[in-house]
Amino acid sequence: MSIKKRRIINSIILIGSSIIVYLINKIFKISLVDAARYSGFLLIGLVFFLTLFNARKKFPGIPLLKVSTWTQIHIYLGFFCVFIFFLHIDFSLPNGIFEISLALIFLAVAVSGVIGLIITRWLPRHMIDAGEPLIYEMIPTYRRKVLEEVKELVLQAERELKSSTIGDLYVNSLITYFQNTPGILQAFFLKAANYRNAIESVRSNQRYMDTDETKYSTKLLELLKIKRNIDIQDSSQRLLKKWLFIHIPLSYSLIILSLVHAFFALRYS
């Protein structure tokens, strides 16, 4: 089954299930049944089931569906869970400080989940386009190696060409880019512009270089590309790791607070 066809089927199931639950909720209200109680039980069950995805990823050897299948289930159940949440609060603002706090945590989990869905779909392709995949723990070593190669290249150019052209280019336009380590998002935005500026600086100076100087400047361009790949791999892997440190703790907090909410709701309803 193609990815497009699978997404269409999953979307139809999601929309159909939402419509069915919405109609059942309407019937409960007309029959004076406590619809919020049942939607609450369903919501807690969904949230608990969704958290099992993290446990499933930690044990890939378990013969219980593929991780990719669990991922699809997690995504579409997540959207279904958001619909049940708004159905549970009757598409209105909750009352009370605790209920509002619980709603905000739920929304934080949902938003972080959507952000995670976006970055886990976009970043791997971005990392492949940037260049060679790198082992995260080895990235500081790669950075030092590139910086050492640049310095050696500049010194070699001065020795062999008896000219400071390459050295001046490095000091005036490239040294900051080579020495800096971008923040978790800078490699995609600010540092992307800095990379383009560095490339443009080298190419604009090449117009005034002789053949030997051009050879060295071409090597600088190659090292700039390697440095760009290191920045992308570093920022991408950090973002993928740190996103989970937000989404997962929020999810467990949501379960605990939901159980507390359910206890008091049942006790005093």
Side-chain angles (χ1 to χ4, degrees), residues 249-262:
L250 282 174
S251 300
Y252 287 124
S253 300
L254 178 62
I255 290 179
I256 295 172
L257 292 178
S258 296
L259 292 174
V260 173
H261 171 69

Side-chain angles (χ1 to χ4, degrees), residues 211-223:
T211 303
D212 292 331
E213 290 173 338
T214 301
K215 289 181 182 179
Y216 279 98
S217 65
T218 301
K219 292 180 181 179
L220 281 177
L221 289 173
E222 294 173 359
L223 290 171

Side-chain angles (χ1 to χ4, degrees), residues 175-243:
I175 188 170
T176 301
Y177 182 79
F178 275 111
Q179 289 184 344
N180 282 357
T181 300
I184 198 168
L185 295 176
Q186 283 182 315
F188 309 110
F189 302 105
L190 178 60
K191 293 300 177 181
N194 290 347
Y195 171 71
R196 289 192 295 270
N197 292 337
I199 292 292
E200 182 58 31
S201 295
V202 176
R203 288 175 176 169
S204 61
N205 277 273
Q206 281 181 330
R207 294 195 295 264
Y208 309 104
M209 295 179 181
D210 58 30
T211 303
D212 292 331
E213 290 173 338
T214 301
K215 289 181 182 179
Y216 279 98
S217 65
T218 301
K219 292 180 181 179
L220 281 177
L221 289 173
E222 294 173 359
L223 290 171
L224 280 170
K225 185 177 180 180
I226 294 173
K227 172 62 165 55
R228 171 65 171 161
N229 179 49
I230 292 173
D231 289 344
I232 292 294
Q233 303 294 329
D234 185 15
S235 296
S236 299
Q237 294 188 54
R238 275 192 289 163
L239 187 57
L240 288 169
K241 291 174 184 293
K242 291 189 177 182
W243 161 72

Side-chain angles (χ1 to χ4, degrees), residues 143-174:
R143 288 192 184 281
R144 288 194 298 270
K145 184 178 179 181
V146 168
L147 189 57
E148 289 171 1
E149 288 184 12
V150 172
K151 292 179 179 179
E152 178 58 31
L153 181 67
V154 171
L155 293 175
Q156 183 180 353
E158 291 185 350
R159 287 196 304 267
E160 295 185 0
L161 304 180
K162 307 300 181 182
S163 168
S164 65
T165 301
I166 301 299
D168 292 340
L169 173 61
Y170 172 70
V171 172
N172 295 330
S173 304
L174 307 179

Side-chain angles (χ1 to χ4, degrees), residues 36-211:
R37 173 178 295 191
Y38 293 98
S39 63
F41 284 142
L42 177 59
L43 187 59
I44 290 176
L46 287 170
V47 171
F48 181 77
F49 182 80
L50 287 169
T51 58
L52 293 178
F53 178 62
N54 182 54
R56 175 65 181 85
K57 289 195 298 183
K58 291 182 178 179
F59 301 99
I62 297 177
L64 184 60
L65 299 179
K66 297 184 295 184
V67 173
S68 59
T69 303
W70 273 83
T71 301
Q72 291 301 308
I73 294 173
H74 187 83
I75 291 170
Y76 287 95
L77 271 185
F79 286 118
F80 183 61
C81 191
V82 171
F83 172 75
I84 299 300
F85 166 76
F86 284 108
L87 190 68
H88 179 66
I89 64 175
D90 202 20
F91 299 95
S92 61
L93 291 175
N95 298 317
I97 296 176
F98 182 82
E99 286 75 13
I100 293 175
S101 300
L102 182 58
L104 290 174
I105 291 176
F106 179 90
L107 292 175
V109 172
V111 170
S112 65
V114 172
I115 293 174
L117 175 61
I118 294 172
I119 64 176
T120 53
R121 291 293 184 273
W122 176 69
L123 279 182
R125 291 196 298 268
H126 190 62
M127 293 166 69
I128 292 173
D129 293 340
E132 179 186 359
L134 302 176
I135 300 172
Y136 181 71
E137 290 74 16
M138 293 295 294
I139 287 178
T141 302
Y142 297 140
R143 288 192 184 281
R144 288 194 298 270
K145 184 178 179 181
V146 168
L147 189 57
E148 289 171 1
E149 288 184 12
V150 172
K151 292 179 179 179
E152 178 58 31
L153 181 67
V154 171
L155 293 175
Q156 183 180 353
E158 291 185 350
R159 287 196 304 267
E160 295 185 0
L161 304 180
K162 307 300 181 182
S163 168
S164 65
T165 301
I166 301 299
D168 292 340
L169 173 61
Y170 172 70
V171 172
N172 295 330
S173 304
L174 307 179
I175 188 170
T176 301
Y177 182 79
F178 275 111
Q179 289 184 344
N180 282 357
T181 300
I184 198 168
L185 295 176
Q186 283 182 315
F188 309 110
F189 302 105
L190 178 60
K191 293 300 177 181
N194 290 347
Y195 171 71
R196 289 192 295 270
N197 292 337
I199 292 292
E200 182 58 31
S201 295
V202 176
R203 288 175 176 169
S204 61
N205 277 273
Q206 281 181 330
R207 294 195 295 264
Y208 309 104
M209 295 179 181
D210 58 30
T211 303

